[in-house]
Amino acid sequence: MSTPATNSQYVSEHSVSSRVSTPLPDYFDPNYDTDATWLEDDSPYPEVRSAVANFDDPTMPVTTIRSWTLGICWAILLPGINQFYYFRYPSLQVGGVVAQLLAFPVGRLWARILPNVKIFGVSLNPGPFTIKEHVLVTIMAGVGAQSAYATGLIAVQRIWYHQNFPFIYKWMLVLSTQLIGFSFGGLARRLLVEPASMIWPNTLVTCALFNTLHSQSYAGVGMHDGISRERFFTYAFVSAALWYIIPGYLFQALSIFTWACWIAPDNLVINQLFGYHSGMGFSILSFDWTQIAFNGSPLASPWWAEANIFVGFIFFYWFLAPVLYFTNVWYSQYMPISSLGAYDNQGRAYNVSRIISSMATFDAEGYKNYSPLYLSMTFALSYGLSFASITALIVHSVLYFAKPISIHLRRGLAEQPDIHAQLMSKYRQVPEWWYVALPVTFSFACLSIKLWPTQMTIWAFVIALVIALVHLVPGMIQAVTNQQVGLNVITELVIGYMLPGKPVAMMMYLVIHALSPPEAMTFTADFKLGHYMKIPPRPMFWCQVIATVIAGSTQLAVESWYQRNICLTNSLLTPLHRAGFTCANTEVFATASVVWGVIGPARQFSKGQLYYPLLVFFLVGAACPLIVWGISARYPNTFLNYVKLMFTGLSQIPPATAVNYIPWAIIGFLFQYVIRRRYFSFWAKYNFVLSAAIDGGTTVSTILVYFCLQWPKNGRIGENTIQAWWGNRVFRSTADWNARPLKTLREGEVFGSVVSLPFSVYGY
């Protein structure tokens, strides 16, 4: 095997010195470094320069027995762990960083111990564990690591609607939705991967860690003195792992730091305002990284994006929500100001079984005899913001993305004014038809629809695919800001009118329409990682496809075990599942199936209905980008060029609350604004390494704490000592934690309006 080229050798022998320097974009790019003058052989984005090497060694081994073996092992282990954690809040994602960290010593041990023999002509030990092998293993681990959304549908079907279909149905459903998303991601490469402006901030954290572990040095790291990035990572990783034990087990009140509620545990107003569990979260602080990074690491997203989300949160959830709540709009004072579930007209959890038939369809008579559905104030506002998001996205895409899209669609990979695209153009690319051929899994979805009583139709499935493909365009926002755009609510609204009164069909449509674009974004982020790390595209394709099939099968097996052993009944709904397994994500999905699928949007949002005023958000969402665009056209240097995410950045509410936004924004301001502006060389060298270290250390620690201290003996370790002391129970004895509303009813009293059924046009 040839000796890998050094940085200096590569720059002198392989760099594309003949091309012109990177030109300034002729459209506004909030991340572009307009001050740099030496960008001929590097990225015009400082974040990319600080995390990604600007050279390549095409002779470096990538697809080896070692990389495939480790990759397949992690494609089983990581999705299995994440599926288990899916039922926990905060549902920490055990990201690829864990596989990235642990695969490194295993790969090096393989290189040291195993003999250099050949199996079917392929070397068992091709030499040192290379950075490209390491990247391939990590991609296989992470490509299906996130819990497949279709598994949420399966959980709700079994727990809420008592439909336990055979494993083949579940397998075909999960694999079809995953691979369709992969196909969409591949088709979007020219828009979302190849352009230099699509920086994918979270991917840069991963790149920085790879280069740190493999001791790669490159110009973008800068000249800052101090300890090496390897040593810095080690210190931060160990510190994060040790620290999590305190808020995660020894002193859990530091995680739910609702200090005002501890002082006045029975004061309803204080608990509604300062609580994190069912209040507005004016307590501000948390010392638990799993809470802070619930929406992604604050050290990865650009500050301008974080500031947008912060301002949006302050206005809609810290100003508008309390104003509406304390004036009792939508009878909200009979419910907590913030919650995951729906309520009936007695302020109790909505009993879905009273309004569905034995065929899991809407029972009009049962609904009439029971109650309308009511939502907490934050839940209702989250729907309004989702309405605003969809129209804002459409208008924003037309105004801002038309020109970049036209440029990127005409430009080939070798023509991109970016060193990384130039280097990747030397490899054989994946033909477009490979991605087009993948949706043969379309037939799997069709079989799932027709062979079991899902209430879904093929024509609705086709419509979902077409609309989902169009919705890939707003993925450009995620590629630039690190904030995923949620399409769930508009999808639920559409299917609620298309197939009213059919909750399972609604959920299936949602999985296909709203979740294909996010799945595509996951795969696209991996494409970008391969692009940055110079992984040949064709091996990348096959490792992603095979890992996806393995991961989906593993997740289904874990979910089946979980349902059999922990939640065979509606115990999912109990508020205090031990060790934090409250199944918040599943409950949100189930609530949505009731709102949009069983009762339907016509009874919630049509004219004359309780939540009809929320439709004004459609107009607000359409108007805001037009106003910003008009002002920025007149004043090109206005700060409004950075106003883009006030609606879409809040899509994680619920289950996210203030504890997941305010500390996140504070830390983001410190690192992405203050330190980046005042100590740029320090930031360039350590910022992304620190993010990877805290994520990795915290994740490893949560696994160890849970399986060593919380899982054994049915969670009774320290029952009368650690678990019983003040720091682990003070937040549980508050009105906030117990979700007490501002107003209560006497037995037999009801609030709200009388049930009406004016929708015979739909045949209810």
Side-chain angles (χ1 to χ4, degrees), residues 217-435:
S217 180
Y218 45 93
V221 173
M223 303 301 294
H224 180 79
D225 294 330
I227 64 175
S228 67
R229 299 207 306 177
E230 295 86 342
R231 181 171 294 184
F232 182 86
F233 173 83
T234 302
Y235 292 160
F237 179 89
V238 172
S239 299
L242 293 176
W243 170 254
Y244 174 76
I245 298 173
I246 298 175
Y249 185 72
L250 298 177
F251 193 174
Q252 295 173 35
L254 293 178
S255 177
I256 313 295
F257 197 70
T258 51
W259 54 272
C261 301
W262 309 345
I263 298 172
D266 297 315
N267 187 303
L268 295 178
V269 174
I270 287 178
N271 278 261
Q272 296 284 7
L273 292 177
F274 289 86
Y276 281 153
H277 187 69
S278 63
M280 295 314 302
F282 282 26
S283 297
I284 296 178
L285 297 177
S286 175
F287 299 92
D288 181 355
W289 188 254
T290 66
Q291 298 281 14
I292 296 169
F294 181 77
N295 296 312
S297 172
L299 278 64
S301 299
W303 166 243
W304 66 266
E306 295 173 336
N308 270 262
I309 296 170
F310 175 71
V311 172
F313 183 89
I314 293 294
F315 178 77
F316 290 109
Y317 287 100
W318 273 13
F319 170 71
L320 185 59
V323 168
L324 296 177
Y325 183 78
F326 287 106
T327 53
N328 202 26
V329 173
W330 302 319
Y331 309 103
S332 55
Q333 291 184 1
Y334 294 99
M335 298 163 277
I337 194 170
S338 178
S339 73
L340 302 177
Y343 295 86
D344 61 19
N345 55 14
Q346 292 184 306
R348 298 170 180 168
Y350 202 86
N351 187 350
V352 181
S353 64
R354 294 186 60 175
I355 63 169
I356 59 173
S357 67
S358 59
M359 299 298 292
T361 57
F362 180 68
D363 181 353
E365 190 63 28
Y367 178 72
K368 185 177 180 179
N369 294 330
Y370 180 36
S371 167
L373 181 142
Y374 297 93
L375 301 171
S376 69
M377 181 54 65
T378 58
F379 212 140
L381 276 182
S382 73
Y383 283 147
L385 290 173
S386 295
F387 297 158
S389 294
I390 189 63
T391 50
L393 279 173
I394 294 171
V395 175
H396 181 89
S397 298
V398 171
L399 296 176
Y400 292 93
F401 291 160
K403 194 167 188 176
I405 288 173
S406 66
I407 293 173
H408 297 319
L409 289 179
R410 292 195 307 266
R411 183 181 284 165
L413 182 63
E415 299 170 323
Q416 291 286 350
D418 171 52
I419 183 62
H420 305 294
Q422 293 280 326
L423 294 172
M424 284 300 293
S425 67
K426 298 180 179 181
Y427 294 102
R428 294 179 67 196
Q429 301 301 306
V430 176
E432 299 290 340
W433 70 265
W434 285 20
Y435 295 106

Side-chain angles (χ1 to χ4, degrees), residues 34 124 130 153 166 189 203 245 397 427 432 482 528 709 757:
T34 57
L124 180 65
T130 69
L153 183 158
R189 287 175 304 159
T203 301
I245 298 173
S397 298
Y427 294 102
E432 299 290 340
N482 202 39
K528 192 67 176 187
L709 299 173
L757 295 170

